Amino acid sequence: MARGKQFPEEFKNDAVELVLSPPERPVADIARSLGVHKATLGTWVERELGRRRKAAGNDGGDAAVSREVEALKAQVRELDRLPAERNHELAHARQDIDIPKPTGQAPFASGSRIATHST
């Protein structure tokens, strides 16, 4: 496989900084203005971002994101469990309270004396 142009490290670093610094411009535009293929510039940018993540103690971000996703899933499972647990507690509490069962009659059956006011 033939190798393309060789670019000095300083050129590569400057090109990457153009991509990463404001104002944001499309990589393709920057690559075209520098006479570099956009995939080549993209490779340089990814390499620099990986180096920065490693220097910051983040081995690429995927592991950190995976840990955060798993923590969020655990929180969702806990929240899903709480209503069922609370319903179970309420069921036991109802058994502890002496609540008369409904008789099927209305509280004021016919024949009850209820004072009525006619206007």
Side-chain angles (χ1 to χ4, degrees), residues 1-99:
M1 180 156 109
R3 293 183 66 98
K5 291 187 202 176
Q6 295 291 316
F7 295 95
E9 284 302 313
E10 185 177 3
F11 178 83
K12 292 177 185 180
N13 293 338
D14 290 344
V16 168
E17 286 308 313
L18 281 174
V19 172
L20 298 178
S21 63
E24 291 184 14
R25 290 177 37 206
V27 173
D29 289 350
I30 296 171
R32 190 173 23 260
S33 70
L34 295 173
V36 177
H37 192 276
K38 65 182 178 183
T40 301
L41 182 54
T43 300
W44 297 345
V45 170
E46 286 302 316
R47 188 176 303 143
E48 175 61 18
L49 291 175
R51 188 194 65 72
R52 290 181 184 187
R53 283 190 296 263
K54 188 174 183 179
N58 186 347
D59 59 358
D62 291 341
V65 169
S66 294
R67 285 191 299 272
E68 187 173 351
V69 167
E70 288 307 314
L72 291 171
K73 285 180 180 179
Q75 288 177 352
V76 168
R77 284 191 299 270
E78 178 70 14
L79 291 173
D80 286 344
R81 186 182 60 78
L82 288 176
E85 196 172 272
R86 182 71 178 141
N87 287 340
H88 182 72
E89 290 172 6
L90 290 174
H92 284 292
R94 285 188 197 108
Q95 291 173 356
D96 295 340
I97 301 172
D98 186 24
I99 301 175

